Amino acid sequence: MITRPEMEIGRYHWMYRSSRPHRYHHVPALRGNVSPLGIQGCFECCIKCLGGVPYASLVATILCFSGVALFCGCGHVALTGTVSILEQHFSTTASDHALLSEVIQLMQYVIYGIASFFFLYGIILLAEGFYTTSAVKELHGEFKTTACGRCISGMFVFLTYVLGVAWLGVFGFSAVPVFMFYNIWSTCEVIKSLQINMTVPGDQICVDIRQYGIIPWNAVPGKACGPILENICNTNEFYMSYHLFIVACAGAGATVIALLIYMMATTYNYAVLKFKSREDCCTKF
């Protein structure tokens, strides 16, 4: 005969299949920004990566690439159009402008070199900005830098300052053809206004290219007057060359601004690297 306690024990085994007590395993507490699977969250990774982006160097690189592209591309085409205008209207003898043609051809080759150099230099400065930003913000552990790294950063600071001063000269030089073409264009506008008002004949108004020093004084004809000058202003070569020189000058100005941003970014990064490399940086701020 089965007693009541034995029935209760049998019912307990039937419901729970085992009489052994449950065992609870200890789950370690989460540390930092680690997910339960031990993998860092996507949002935290994105924030960390965005924190290491050198935004100043990135903006300067985009501006530098745009400015150099405008200066080199527009300047090359504008120089070709300028030679064509001189040969057709101001210097019909090839020997008179032979030196100018050689100088312009040399400048076009220099433009190729400038475009290649700044494409490479902009990428190097952007990479150096990533390196110094990561080191300064200590994104990959504690602060670590070497004397070689600080020396390279200092070299980029010096080179960027030199290039900034040089591009100020390029920007000023690129404004010279804009000034020349503007004078020719404004003279053509004066001739048009005189023809409308019928006050003074336009044949007495001339533009002498020889006074700018780009062709010798014995060049023939060397100047254009009245309707001939007006026809020059109406040609597509004059119109395109004038506006391309303006865009090239604007590109040179954008490159100067980009180099100024590079100067500030590289100088700041170098100063912070130099400061944090000192062992007593925390006591002598």
Side-chain angles (χ1 to χ4, degrees):
M1 184 176 180
I2 302 175
T3 60
R4 185 175 182 83
E6 292 176 348
M7 292 177 61
E8 292 293 334
I9 293 173
R11 186 164 64 96
Y12 177 81
H13 281 281
W14 176 78
M15 293 178 62
Y16 297 99
R17 297 184 181 181
S18 177
S19 60
R20 287 181 295 180
H22 293 282
R23 295 180 181 179
Y24 298 95
H25 299 281
H26 176 70
V27 178
L30 300 180
R31 296 181 180 180
N33 297 324
V34 182
S35 66
L37 298 178
I39 304 174
Q40 194 174 25
C42 180
F43 179 75
E44 289 80 5
C45 289
C46 293
I47 294 298
K48 184 176 181 179
C49 292
L50 291 176
V53 176
Y55 293 101
S57 297
L58 183 62
V59 171
T61 301
I62 296 173
L63 191 61
C64 182
F65 283 172
S66 302
V68 172
L70 289 176
F71 174 79
C72 295
C74 296
H76 185 276
V77 179
L79 288 173
T80 304
T82 302
V83 173
S84 178
I85 293 173
L86 289 175
E87 291 177 349
Q88 295 177 9
H89 304 286
F90 294 99
S91 180
T92 56
T93 305
S95 59
D96 293 338
H97 58 271
L99 179 60
L100 178 64
S101 300
E102 294 178 359
V103 171
I104 289 179
Q105 187 177 9
L106 179 62
M107 291 174 62
Q108 290 176 336
Y109 285 118
V110 170
I111 284 175
Y112 298 146
I114 290 174
S116 303
F117 171 77
F118 270 91
F119 177 76
L120 179 62
Y121 188 69
I123 293 177
I124 293 175
L125 280 184
L126 184 61
E128 195 268 344
F130 273 101
Y131 159 72
T132 52
T133 302
S134 300
V136 167
K137 294 186 178 181
E138 303 179 11
L139 296 177
H140 306 289
E142 61 182 12
F143 176 78
K144 294 180 180 179
T145 185
T146 60
C148 181
R150 294 192 299 272
C151 181
I152 293 175
S153 297
M155 181 190 68
F156 280 123
V157 171
F158 174 76
L159 186 57
T160 305
Y161 270 85
V162 172
L163 290 175
V165 174
W167 266 96
L168 283 175
V170 173
F171 175 66
F173 179 76
S174 63
V176 174
V178 176
F179 173 74
M180 293 171 52
F181 274 84
Y182 174 76
N183 284 341
I184 298 174
W185 175 81
S186 61
T187 305
C188 292
E189 292 298 318
V190 171
I191 294 175
K192 291 179 182 179
S193 63
L194 292 177
Q195 292 177 352
I196 295 174
N197 298 328
M198 300 297 291
T199 54
V200 180
D203 296 339
Q204 300 179 3
I205 300 177
C206 303
V207 170
D208 195 344
I209 297 296
R210 295 171 296 186
Q211 65 182 347
Y212 296 107
I214 58 177
I215 57 176
W217 282 103
N218 58 356
V220 179
K223 64 179 181 179
C225 303
I228 298 177
L229 180 60
E230 187 177 359
N231 292 333
I232 294 174
C233 294
N234 293 330
T235 59
N236 291 328
E237 292 177 347
F238 179 86
Y239 180 83
M240 288 295 297
S241 298
Y242 179 34
H243 289 84
L244 286 175
F245 273 126
I246 294 176
V247 176
C249 184
T255 307
V256 171
I257 296 175
L259 289 174
L260 289 176
I261 299 175
Y262 274 136
M263 287 180 196
M264 293 184 290
T266 54
T267 304
Y268 170 78
N269 289 332
Y270 175 74
V272 174
L273 289 178
K274 188 72 174 177
F275 172 75
K276 297 190 73 172
S277 63
R278 299 174 54 181
E279 296 179 356
D280 56 345
C281 63
C282 297
T283 59
K284 293 185 179 180
F285 181 76

